[in-house]
Amino acid sequence: MATPGNKLAFDGGWGYDPAPESTDHIDVKSRYGLFINGDFVKPEKGKYFDTINPATEDKLSRVAEASAVDVDKAVKAARAAYRGPWGRMKPAERSKYIYRIARIMQERACEFSVIESLDGGKPIRESRDVDIPLAAAHFFYYAGWADKLEYAFPGRTAKSLGVAGQIIPWNFPLLMASWKIAPALACGNTVVLKPAETTPLTAMKLAEVIADAGLPPGVVNIVTGAGAAGAAIVDHPGVDKVAFTGSTNIGRMIQKSLAGTNKRYTLELGGKAANIIFADAAIDQAVEGIVNGIFFNQGHVCCAGSRLFVQESVADEVIAKLKDRMETLIVGDPLDKNTDVGAINSTMQLDKIQSYLKIGQAEGGDMHQSSCTLPNKGYWCRPTIFTGVSQSSRVVQEEIFGPVLAIQTFRKYDEALTKANNTPYGLSGGIWTDKGSKIFNMTQKIRAGVVWANTFNKFDPTSPFGGYKESGVGREGGLHGLDAYVKLGVK
Ligand code: NAP
Ligand code: MG
């Protein structure tokens, strides 16, 4: 079936023919239990919920809804594994299991990619080329550290914490699970993980991989469910560390409920990244980077470049080029290999984005959208830009988490910096310039955990990631990611 966006994107029917990825090779069960103590088990209350394909609104599977009783079982299984085989295992042996997970994941990469796109709506190009390879790379990377912790923390002892409770969002389901599980296991902890309600399927496939890799029962437990299951993990007295990725609002609630407990925590929260284009930048390259930063993956990226600051002398040129490029973006079937912009993850998220489109216009912003035709079923949003907005506009200040870019101009370096830093968030940023001196100077002064120069949204397991200000507490990835899962002592 032709994707409407395809045909219109290249006027006159000269678009690409549809090239959908096959779904023949995937195995999605009609129902999944909770993965506790090495087995898929029924939820105590017998409740299940549907997970759907946001591009078609078709039901993909039914997934168990964990209650506090199930979470308690999972935490107890994790504790028993920690006290038992996993806790006693030599680090070099632990490392072999983690490598095995990485290898099996790589072997099944194609199946993982298709399921990720079906369940979450992201283009297959993203899940195939970014999410799944990076997820496997995290397991490979942390497998290597398991027996080298003494070199990671020279002169210190590094002991595991115990049971890690981990809660993840829907925008990078398998990748977020890997960011959380791999370092926890490498440091000798056991895990209870809750995936997001709308994207549980690759976590269920990961549970199968973990079982196939032969990990002792209870080392990794995966409990699907809603926010209440997440809260039950946070509040469980048997959890030693909470690792949360999600919105700043929920992160704040979690931080409050952890106050006064002995639990360690890391919070990876929202963002409102600024891309700054100086007049001396390679403009075409910058425009492509902006498009990649906000429109690919539907803007469902915590570090999405959702604000753009363009130096005044090139603003007209940049905006014109951006509008041209937006017209060529292919919006539609996430499984089509040509698709640039897939489906919005859920009807709730689409409502949120649409409400911001109204807010932006009501605030006096000038809204421009690509003219692509959207499929009749499913959840879609056209790539959108706002010009004529100010620093106080809500579309400039608040995280929309959709393909919506707010554009402003600046004249001088200091103005760009002040505007870029004028947000409660501080997760990431981007600079586009020909001058190395500007890059060095700006990257020191932008208050954000990651700042890219002449590129955007590039990730590597060796590189730490995390936020300043309301974007979070702690770092994941790289050596810093180990620190979050160990208790350090003096040798
Ligand atoms: P969310 O609503 O905060 O949900 C995140 C996870 O927390 C989900 O699994 C959710 O379950 C669960 N949850 C909900 N209420 C909870 C509670 N009271 N206690 C414990 N857990 C609870 O965020 P989202 O909308 O799924 O994800 C988008 C957000 O994640 C954005 O703000 C984005 O910036 C952020 N994000 C940050 C990073 C980073 O590294 N900084 C990376 C990716 C995403 P349900 O699924 O059932 O709601
Ligand atoms: Mg889904």
Side-chain angles (χ1 to χ4, degrees), residues 155-281:
R156 318 281 302 268
T157 57
K159 286 175 83 180
S160 54
L161 299 173
V163 176
Q166 309 182 321
I167 300 157
I168 56 171
W170 43 260
N171 59 339
F172 288 92
L174 186 71
L175 185 58
M176 288 300 115
S178 307
W179 278 26
K180 300 263 180 291
I181 296 175
L185 296 186
C187 295
N189 304 281
T190 57
V191 165
V192 177
L193 174 113
K194 188 196 95 65
E197 229 173 312
T198 55
T199 52
L201 290 183
T202 46
M204 293 292 95
K205 296 307 285 185
L206 178 60
E208 290 174 6
V209 167
I210 284 165
D212 290 351
L215 261 79
V219 174
V220 176
N221 305 275
I222 302 184
V223 289
T224 44
I233 293 176
V234 172
D235 294 338
H236 198 291
V239 166
D240 301 293
K241 187 231 152 74
V242 172
F244 171 80
T245 298
S247 60
T248 294
N249 274 345
I250 305 282
R252 209 176 269 129
M253 281 168 57
I254 291 178
Q255 201 170 20
K256 275 186 193 157
S257 60
L258 292 177
T261 72
N262 264 338
K263 292 175 194 169
R264 296 259 303 261
Y265 61 86
T266 40
L267 306 171
E268 298 280 356
L269 309 176
K272 193 75 187 176
N275 258 311
I276 301 171
I277 304 185
F278 286 97
D280 58 28

Side-chain angles (χ1 to χ4, degrees), residues 51-54 60 118-120 197-200 345:
T51 186
I52 64 154
N53 176 351
L60 295 167
L118 280 173
D119 203 16
E197 229 173 312
T198 55
T199 52
N345 182 264

